[in-house]
Amino acid sequence: MSYTIVIVGRPNVGKSSLFNRLTETSDAIVEPTAGVTRDRKYGTGQWGGKEFIVVDTGGVVTNSDDAFEQDINSQVRLAIAEADRVLFMVDAKEGMTEWDEEIADMLRRSNKPILLVCNKVDTSDKEILSTEFYALGFGEKLFSISANNGYGSGDLLDELLQEMPSIDETEMPDLPKIAIVGRPNVGKSSLLNTLLGNGRSIVSEVAGTTRDAVHTHFKAFNKELMLIDTAGLRKRKQIEDDIEFFSAIRTIKSIRNSDVCMLLIDAVEGITKQDLTIFGEITEANRGIVILVNKWDMVEKDHKSVEVMTEEIKKRIAPFTDVPIIFTSNITKQRILKALEAALEVYENRLQHFSTSKLNDIMLPIIQAYPPPVVKGKEVKIKYITQLPTKSPAIAFFCNTPQNVVSSYQRFLENKLRENFRLTGVPVRLYFRQK
């Protein structure tokens, strides 16, 4: 399961800077102005082979002139309720304030595990600035860091690492886990109900009815599996209420806890930007994927409609186009079982192991016939290929100058792997290592 870290503190202590460092992004706006982060942001990070979700929150204040004070504080409390670990962030330069003390009281009442993080300590000789914060009563462990230059962040992550669940990809799940994902109101719960033949999930025309992921043990094609119905993902700026925001986080967790995702898109609307965002979440997590063009019964079509829609989808999801695309209808039950069958096939594709001899016998002649481009007058020579021991396919190419393998040639190699091995619906990671 994904581990959730929530960053809490008063305004302008560096929460967004720490969020950016933990997620290795620049998603959160960083400004020396109190109250810039009003909407919570979430992202993912990795450390020491483990994965976590990070939630950045607005600054907690009381009795201020901020018109959003009550909304922000309410959101922060909900964020804390979702947390596996809360990072309570304070400003070592400014010292302890009344707001820090009030936040400390709130956090103690939450009964959540708290780590006190003193920011703006960019060298070891400034760590003495943090000592006054021991008075807040969060034990002997206190982390002095600089979110801007990274000082102390490794020690903080090492501490968090001890409690994070392992994402050891060599460990096979007991049952195939298939998540049903997509934007709100594309028919996810209806699909689950159709597959189960009962009203296991609530079905409504109101977007956002499914707030939590629903796990259902299911049997099909003489195989047992777990179906996961998730809340719909919207663009983050459209997530207006607290519950829906956390539904989005739980959806991302469901993607990362699944083996294969069935991504539903609306046949009437076609593939949208948000569909592509969800597609990106799935591929980034290296999960298998099947695209279902749902509500196909509602589209006026001719003999070329399937071909036109398929080409449009492939154009939008490129370069990863080796994905099953199935046209379905929950109302007529059109191709519903075929969709599930495709998901199970993708699951099997994802578990495959290719022998080193077969990889080399097939790929080395292709590489010799179409060698990598010469970079800065230096020839790239790939001599050996093997599959790494991970759950999702990862292939290592050993060569003399791995840094010179250009991205276009990496795509060429992936396409050749897909032509010669059964990898439909499965993201493939390529690694280039020194011979």
Side-chain angles (χ1 to χ4, degrees):
M1 297 290 288
S2 294
Y3 190 85
T4 302
I5 298 166
V6 173
I7 307 171
V8 174
R10 62 183 175 82
N12 204 29
V13 293
K15 297 184 297 297
S16 294
S17 295
L18 180 59
F19 172 89
N20 289 345
R21 181 161 294 280
L22 294 179
T23 59
E24 297 183 282
T25 66
S26 55
D27 288 347
I29 300 170
V30 180
E31 290 243 353
T33 306
V36 168
T37 304
R38 299 199 188 281
D39 296 324
R40 297 134 304 174
K41 298 186 184 299
Y42 56 87
T44 57
Q46 284 199 9
W47 184 258
K50 294 186 180 181
E51 185 176 75
F52 50 90
I53 291 173
V54 186
V55 181
D56 180 22
T57 63
V60 178
V61 292
T62 54
N63 301 318
S64 72
D65 297 328
D66 192 336
F68 295 95
E69 175 189 307
Q70 187 173 347
D71 288 340
I72 291 171
N73 293 352
S74 172
Q75 292 172 4
V76 170
R77 287 186 177 89
L78 281 163
I80 292 168
E82 290 293 319
D84 293 302
R85 171 73 80 166
V86 177
L87 301 186
F88 175 22
M89 202 164 187
V90 295
D91 186 329
K93 271 189 180 177
E94 287 193 18
M96 191 156 55
T97 68
E98 286 184 12
W99 280 345
D100 292 324
E101 292 174 352
E102 289 177 10
I103 295 167
D105 287 339
M106 177 184 71
L107 291 175
R108 275 192 288 270
R109 289 194 297 271
S110 73
N111 294 319
K112 290 284 182 174
I114 313 294
L115 277 184
L116 185 59
V117 180
C118 297
N119 192 30
K120 304 182 184 178
V121 178
D122 48 16
T123 57
S124 58
D125 60 338
K126 292 182 181 177
E127 288 192 11
I128 194 170
L129 298 173
S130 303
T131 54
E132 69 170 303
F133 290 98
Y134 283 113
L136 291 173
F138 289 104
E140 295 301 312
K141 262 184 187 168
L142 177 153
F143 291 86
S144 298
I145 71 160
S146 169
N148 282 334
N149 71 13
Y151 177 82
S153 59
D155 292 338
L156 173 62
L157 280 163
D158 286 341
E159 175 67 23
L160 293 168
L161 191 71
Q162 295 179 28
E163 291 190 359
M164 291 182 197
S166 174
I167 55 167
D168 180 6
E169 293 199 326
T170 62
E171 186 179 334
M172 293 293 106
D174 294 329
L175 296 174
K177 297 179 182 65
I178 299 173
I180 303 170
V181 300
R183 294 182 292 116
N185 209 27
V186 292
K188 299 182 298 298
S189 294
S190 294
L191 173 60
L192 182 63
N193 290 348
T194 304
L195 287 168
L196 298 178
N198 60 37
R200 175 65 179 83
S201 291
I202 298 169
V203 182
S204 169
E205 289 302 309
V206 180
T209 299
T210 306
R211 298 300 196 180
D212 267 314
V214 178
H215 295 64
T216 305
H217 194 171
F218 186 64
K219 188 170 183 179
F221 308 108
N222 294 318
K223 292 183 180 178
E224 292 189 30
L225 53 97
M226 193 70 71
L227 288 174
I228 307 170
D229 176 27
T230 59
L233 273 175
R234 291 179 187 264
K235 293 180 182 176
R236 291 177 191 178
K237 68 181 180 182
Q238 292 178 347
I239 299 176
E240 296 173 349
D241 64 63
D242 300 316
I243 298 173
E244 190 170 347
F245 175 82
F246 290 106
S247 293
I249 292 179
R250 290 169 191 146
T251 300
I252 290 174
K253 285 186 177 183
S254 294
I255 289 172
R256 293 177 180 273
N257 292 327
S258 70
D259 299 300
V260 178
C261 295
M262 295 198 291
L263 171 58
L264 273 68
I265 67 174
D266 191 311
V268 178
E269 296 181 25
I271 187 164
T272 67
K273 220 185 235 188
Q274 186 58 10
D275 294 325
L276 295 175
T277 299
I278 301 170
F279 184 86
E281 295 277 5
I282 298 166
T283 55
E284 183 186 334
N286 295 304
R287 276 21 180 198
I289 183 166
V290 177
I291 294 177
L292 307 188
V293 184
N294 197 33
K295 305 183 184 179
W296 191 237
D297 57 301
M298 297 174 64
V299 175
E300 289 186 20
K301 39 195 174 287
D302 56 31
H303 66 287
K304 286 191 174 179
S305 297
V306 169
E307 182 183 340
V308 169
M309 178 73 84
T310 300
E311 286 306 310
E312 174 63 18
I313 292 170
K314 287 190 173 184
K315 181 180 174 184
R316 299 289 301 280
I317 65 174
F320 179 29
T321 59
D322 185 19
V323 175
I325 300 173
I326 298 172
F327 295 77
T328 63
S329 165
N330 292 328
I331 302 296
T332 65
K333 301 185 180 179
Q334 186 180 22
R335 302 187 190 89
I336 295 297
L337 287 178
K338 183 178 179 182
L340 187 59
E341 188 176 21
L344 289 170
E345 287 174 2
V346 169
Y347 172 77
E348 295 297 334
N349 291 350
R350 191 167 178 262
L351 294 184
Q352 287 180 102
H353 179 78
F354 311 119
S355 70
T356 298
S357 59
K358 187 174 181 181
L359 279 169
N360 285 274
D361 288 347
I362 290 174
M363 294 301 295
L364 286 181
I366 294 172
I367 292 167
Q368 288 168 359
Y370 303 96
V374 175
V375 176
K376 297 179 182 177
K378 200 151 194 177
E379 197 177 339
V380 180
K381 295 181 179 178
I382 298 174
K383 294 293 185 182
Y384 179 74
I385 307 158
T386 190
Q387 183 175 358
L388 300 176
T390 57
K391 185 192 293 185
S392 56
I395 311 296
F397 293 80
F398 290 85
C399 51
N400 57 337
T401 54
Q403 70 277 11
N404 289 341
V405 182
V406 297
S407 57
S408 59
Y409 194 75
Q410 292 180 30
R411 286 195 297 272
F412 167 79
L413 291 176
E414 181 179 337
N415 290 336
K416 290 301 175 184
L417 283 167
R418 292 186 180 282
E419 286 176 18
N420 290 278
F421 298 91
R422 200 177 71 248
L423 290 166
T424 297
V426 181
V428 179
R429 289 170 291 172
L430 305 187
Y431 294 92
F432 297 87
R433 296 179 173 176
Q434 192 75 36
K435 186 175 64 175

